[in-house]
Amino acid sequence: MPFLNLSHVTAYSYRHPVSFGEHRVMVRPRESFDQHLLDARLTISPEPADVRWLQDVFGNAVAIATFDRRAKELVFDSRVRVLHTPAELQHVDIEEYARSYPFTYSSEEMPDLLRSIERQHHDPLRLIDSWARRFVNPAGRTDTLAMLSDMTTAIRREFTYVPRAEKGTQSPIETLSRMKGTCRDYAMFMIEAVRALGFAARFVSGYVYGPSSGDMPVGGGNTHAWVRVYLPGSGWVEFDPTNGIVGNRGLIRVAVVRDIYQAVPVSGTWSGFPGSFLDMTVTVDARIDPADAPPALAAPTAAPDMRKTG
């Protein structure tokens, strides 16, 4: 159960002082049985007029910052300490009726899963469907977990990872035709592939770390993206096609959403002279802390700093 220190800094720079509209910040990891938030601080410069926290429709923690001063730089600095409990493939326990594919979700679960089963991208030639069907045994039933694991490792093995700093995501059809992309492209492609087979799937944004401080998994040093698939008996199970990971090993969840555009880490507006915007930089560092025990939790502080208490 490693203790992790996470740093995520997003900085915007401008040629002239500009004013800032409301900004939405989604960088606080989710609390769960497998990841415990021990300390979390969000520092914003210039200091906002107000910061309020809310939970979105998926239960993600979102900070809403408003500003009353102009500046040439806007910085969001998130520092987090997490206790993480990795789970391996053998810990995935699927209900008997769902261990072989095809199966149907229960009538109790289906109403809440429907929007996560619904396809989000057009595939008029059924190219993604055909790719996904490669992993289904045409002569009989297919082991559910083995099929999803094979799909995960096939994307890692057959596609070429190409970092891309620009905003936006390729469509799943583009990713399939080009056979390359980023972690977010891979995630959206796999989501559409498993949905083509009738699975409920969601997009996950967060951080990835290696088993030791010297290891850098693919997608490390930036925010990372992967997939959650709903499997009866285990619930939402992690699949990272970028690194071929099944289970939550090395993965820290921040946002879980139905579509990628609901998981933007930082978004907002600014106004000023045309051409004022210069640059945006994002720096992410996720490292295992060798400490044997978490630090004492401090009392809550005033906004914009926030700490976990209780």
Side-chain angles (χ1 to χ4, degrees):
M1 294 190 295
F3 294 96
L4 301 174
N5 293 320
L6 307 173
S7 168
H8 182 174
V9 180
T10 302
Y12 301 89
S13 58
Y14 303 86
R15 182 172 288 105
H16 309 287
V18 299
S19 58
F20 304 106
E22 182 179 273
H23 277 66
R24 178 185 176 94
V25 187
M26 194 184 302
V27 293
R28 179 186 171 96
R30 293 172 64 105
E31 293 271 14
S32 188
F33 61 89
D34 59 346
Q35 56 182 51
H36 303 280
L37 198 56
L38 304 175
D39 187 66
R41 306 184 185 190
L42 176 62
T43 304
I44 305 174
S45 177
E47 184 174 348
D50 180 62
V51 175
R52 62 185 178 91
W53 287 88
L54 58 85
Q55 282 189 311
D56 67 10
V57 68
F58 300 103
N60 303 308
V62 182
I64 306 296
T66 56
F67 301 86
D68 59 2
R69 66 180 70 178
R70 297 166 67 87
K72 296 177 67 174
E73 187 176 55
L74 177 61
V75 180
F76 298 90
D77 187 343
S78 172
R79 307 285 169 145
V80 176
R81 184 170 170 81
V82 177
L83 173 61
H84 190 225
T85 306
E88 301 294 339
L89 180 62
Q90 61 266 28
H91 296 144
V92 178
D93 186 15
I94 304 177
E95 294 281 357
E96 182 66 34
Y97 77 89
R99 291 179 183 174
S100 295
Y101 177 86
F103 69 89
T104 303
Y105 291 119
S106 70
S107 58
E108 292 82 8
E109 294 174 329
M110 183 64 83
D112 298 309
L113 295 174
L114 282 173
R115 291 307 306 275
S116 295
I117 300 172
E118 183 180 279
R119 302 282 292 274
Q120 299 292 312
H121 298 269
H122 294 296
D123 184 14
L125 300 179
R126 304 182 71 84
L127 298 177
I128 295 174
D129 300 59
S130 298
W131 186 90
R133 286 285 167 187
R134 291 173 42 194
F135 304 93
V136 178
N137 178 11
R141 301 185 71 83
T142 304
D143 182 275
T144 298
L145 186 56
M147 176 181 66
L148 294 171
S149 299
D150 289 346
M151 186 180 295
T152 304
T153 55
I155 295 173
R156 180 193 181 193
R157 182 179 63 252
E158 299 172 7
F159 290 60
T160 302
Y161 179 81
V162 180
R164 189 176 68 250
E166 294 82 2
K167 293 182 179 180
T169 304
Q170 294 176 170
S171 72
I173 295 293
E174 289 174 323
T175 300
L176 180 59
S177 64
R178 296 172 182 175
M179 298 294 287
K180 63 182 180 180
T182 66
C183 60
R184 58 187 186 268
D185 299 324
Y186 287 1
M188 287 306 302
F189 172 74
M190 183 170 176
I191 286 173
E192 285 298 293
V194 299
R195 284 175 177 172
L197 298 178
F199 288 95
R202 289 180 173 176
F203 179 90
V204 189
S205 176
Y207 309 110
V208 60
Y209 68 93
S212 65
S213 58
D215 294 326
M216 177 67 77
V218 179
N222 210 322
T223 54
H224 192 54
W226 62 95
V227 182
R228 297 188 104 189
V229 179
Y230 189 83
L231 298 177
S234 280
W236 295 100
V237 178
E238 324 281 331
F239 295 88
D240 177 9
T242 303
N243 291 287
I245 297 172
V246 178
N248 71 337
R249 176 174 46 88
L251 302 173
I252 300 295
R253 296 181 299 277
V254 171
V256 179
V257 297
R258 182 173 50 83
D259 189 89
I260 186 173
Y261 299 106
Q262 298 166 311
V264 178
V266 180
S267 60
T269 61
W270 64 273
S271 58
F273 291 112
S276 291
F277 178 76
L278 291 176
D279 191 25
M280 179 190 78
T281 60
V282 178
T283 305
V284 173
D285 185 38
R287 297 191 181 186
I288 295 177
D289 191 324
D292 293 326
L297 298 182
T301 58
D305 287 348
M306 175 280 301
R307 297 190 183 186
K308 163 90 176 156
T309 59

